[in-house]
Amino acid sequence: MIYLIDPANLKGKKCKKYECDIVCKLCITLCPLDIIQPLYSVPPEEG
Amino acid sequence: MPKKSLYNHFQRFNDEYYIAYNARSGAVALMTPQNYELYAQMMDKLSADTNAKFNDEESELLKQLEYGKFVCGSDFDEQRALKFEHHLGKYGQSMVGLVIAPTMNCNMACEYCYEENKSGRMSEQMRDALMEFTKGFLGSLRQLDVTWYGGEPLLAMDIIEDLTQRFFDLCREQRIGYNGSIVTNGYLMTPDVTDRLEKLWVRNGQITLDGPARLHNKKRPLKNGKDSFATIIENLVYAVPKINISIRVNIDQSFSVDTIRELLAELRQADLHDKVAISFGHLEASTQVCANIAESCYDTLAFSKTEADFYRILLSEGFRVERIPAPASVACMAQIVNSFVVDPNGYLYRCWNYVGDLAKSMGNIKDSLDFQNKNFVRLFDVNPFEEAACRECNLLPLCMGGCPARRADRNLKGEEMCDSWKYNLEPMLEIIAAYKQLEAQRKASEQE
């Protein structure tokens, strides 16, 4: 089998909407799965 | 012993492959006809004898099928697992999602807008109250997710900057992850504003283009009557390397294949074709304010056909195809206990469509949260597992019963609630598979 969409990547890519399971009709388009989003990092110290 | 999943879909793709899709895992895979045949034989074998033995070739295929959740253990209850994931999604305490409208004012006058034309900006006092409200979740909070919304949020850029700095301070102090997004019409997203948004960790933006310039300018004119398309495109060209931009095109019956091609040609001319994601929104008369558009809207069945046709054009024109049938534990934020839409006066809502409509507010950030408020319960309590049509549907992991507001406001039930996936899964899977193959070929040739 050739996995075109790998279920492990669905979680592994840490797309915020999927990681948090928020997928509404308005916001789903904010979160295309293929965009890897290094999200939820703590904001760096100022300066 | 294994059994087949309730959420499997198999379809012929071309001479070489079948497409295998599982709605619970979101896996999309290609299978040779031989492997598909082998899978069918194995399942037949199992229905005749639950203790059937498999040879090496069958065992290897079984392993690959298990990976995508196409098969599971015979004692595994998939519906129960799905329900458990649904509850986890609803009641999770580690994330707070805030959709904040810093102003209800807007610089556009779209004919289909569902918001009543309200003005008003979030006062400093209200911003203080919003910070106190957010601090109320500390303890279990690990992730703060903020989406700027409106009205047009960029009319209140000063408020976005002020609140983000305060969120940053809080997140640094408490070691909480932060993410920002924005829904904007894009007209005010000048290079300077984009640079500022980037610094404010606004990583995702949704901008609406309702067709090519000639149509967009009619449907989404500025309040002063002037055109907006050219400025938005100019802004996008600067913004796309910095912010992940998704272009939403709201579809009604006035859109044709030619209309979409015209828009794509304009985006290509601006060299945006491979830099933005495009999605097609199903325009519906969701509130009384936009009831005037009801006649020109598609029903879901007609929309789903049009949607697949338009995605086929995206594929053939070399644009990105990013709509994928991914599972979700809840239908939307209305079903997540710690997700709120906040208006400039601090009123809280369960749904983006309700912002500014006080009759649908579930309270105010200045007051204690009331999870028994009728406007909270009304959408939060919508439970797809209580309706047989949803419970038994093999696409339930995708839509989780669909938009709760649509269900509650319009009293829709059963198939009336279905998402376009219900009707266009097959053509969409073909388009997605073709796109993924092209993408893989492109990556391979880049590496050579």
Side-chain angles (χ1 to χ4, degrees), chain B residues 309-352:
Chain B
D309 289 344
F310 291 175
Y311 273 104
R312 208 170 280 118
I313 297 172
L314 289 188
L315 178 70
S316 67
E317 299 279 335
F319 280 73
R320 283 155 51 176
V321 174
E322 294 192 349
R323 177 156 164 81
I324 55 163
S329 66
V330 292
C332 79
M333 63 166 282
Q335 294 186 311
I336 298 177
V337 69
N338 283 349
S339 286
F340 308 92
V341 180
V342 190
D343 81 6
N345 296 316
Y347 286 97
L348 298 165
Y349 306 87
R350 289 275 88 197
C351 173
W352 305 49

Side-chain angles (χ1 to χ4, degrees), chain B residues 178-380:
Chain B
Y178 178 86
N179 179 62
S181 308
I182 191 164
V183 178
T184 166
N185 60 41
Y187 188 79
L188 298 170
M189 210 163 123
T190 59
D192 170 58
V193 169
T194 292
D195 288 343
R196 285 155 69 192
L197 289 173
E198 194 188 16
K199 282 183 190 149
L200 300 172
W201 281 25
V202 174
R203 263 101 177 233
N204 303 289
Q206 180 183 276
I207 287 177
T208 299
L209 288 178
D210 277 347
R214 65 182 173 84
L215 283 181
H216 173 93
N217 287 332
K218 261 190 210 161
K219 291 181 180 223
R220 294 174 68 83
L222 295 175
K223 273 193 176 150
N224 62 15
K226 288 190 177 162
D227 293 346
S228 60
F229 190 89
T231 305
I232 296 170
I233 294 291
E234 211 174 288
N235 290 343
L236 279 175
V237 169
Y238 184 82
V240 289
K242 295 165 182 278
I243 295 173
N244 298 320
I245 299 285
S246 165
I247 292 179
R248 181 184 170 100
V249 185
N250 291 314
I251 300 298
D252 63 14
Q253 293 180 30
S254 70
F255 278 82
S256 67
V257 164
D258 290 340
T259 319
I260 294 299
R261 285 193 194 281
E262 196 180 334
L263 169 63
L264 298 188
E266 289 172 351
L267 292 174
R268 182 176 284 279
Q269 202 176 5
D271 198 27
L272 287 168
H273 60 286
D274 55 352
K275 299 181 179 69
V276 290
I278 296 178
S279 68
F280 301 106
H282 182 189
L283 208 53
E284 288 186 293
S286 56
T287 72
Q288 279 305 310
V289 182
C290 56
N292 58 320
I293 60 153
E295 276 186 18
S296 61
C297 294
Y298 280 121
D299 62 25
T300 307
L301 182 61
F303 172 76
S304 65
K305 187 184 173 309
T306 307
E307 187 186 33
D309 289 344
F310 291 175
Y311 273 104
R312 208 170 280 118
I313 297 172
L314 289 188
L315 178 70
S316 67
E317 299 279 335
F319 280 73
R320 283 155 51 176
V321 174
E322 294 192 349
R323 177 156 164 81
I324 55 163
S329 66
V330 292
C332 79
M333 63 166 282
Q335 294 186 311
I336 298 177
V337 69
N338 283 349
S339 286
F340 308 92
V341 180
V342 190
D343 81 6
N345 296 316
Y347 286 97
L348 298 165
Y349 306 87
R350 289 275 88 197
C351 173
W352 305 49
N353 290 359
Y354 296 168
V355 66
D357 182 353
L358 286 188
K360 289 181 174 161
S361 162
M362 60 163 283
N364 192 285
I365 51 175
K366 288 181 165 176
D367 306 319
S368 306
L369 279 170
D370 177 7
F371 293 117
Q372 301 311 312
N373 181 290
K374 67 176 177 14
N375 285 332
F376 173 82
V377 174
R378 195 166 158 269
L379 302 191
F380 187 77

Side-chain angles (χ1 to χ4, degrees), chain A residues 1-6 8 10 16 18 21-26 29-30 32-35 37 39-41 43-44, chain B residues 25 28-30 64 67-68 172 177-179 181 201 206 244 246 279 322 324 326 329-332 336 419 436:
Chain A
M1 292 178 81
I2 305 165
Y3 276 90
L4 299 175
I5 297 179
D6 185 330
L10 274 166
K16 69 171 179 137
Y18 291 104
D21 297 325
I22 304 175
V23 184
C24 84
K25 297 300 166 282
L26 273 162
T29 54
L30 289 172
L33 189 76
D34 281 354
I35 296 170
Q37 300 173 42
L39 295 169
Y40 293 124
S41 25
Chain B
S25 69
V28 177
L30 296 180
Q64 294 184 34
Y67 181 75
R172 278 188 205 109
Y178 178 86
N179 179 62
S181 308
W201 281 25
Q206 180 183 276
N244 298 320
S246 165
S279 68
E322 294 192 349
I324 55 163
S329 66
V330 292
C332 79
I336 298 177
D419 190 89
K436 293 286 176 191

Side-chain angles (χ1 to χ4, degrees), chain B residues 413-432:
Chain B
K413 289 190 179 74
E415 291 196 352
E416 294 170 318
M417 278 302 300
C418 290
D419 190 89
S420 58
W421 287 120
K422 180 80 177 177
Y423 306 107
N424 67 16
L425 183 70
E426 278 200 24
M428 284 302 295
L429 282 175
E430 270 180 30
I431 294 164
I432 290 162

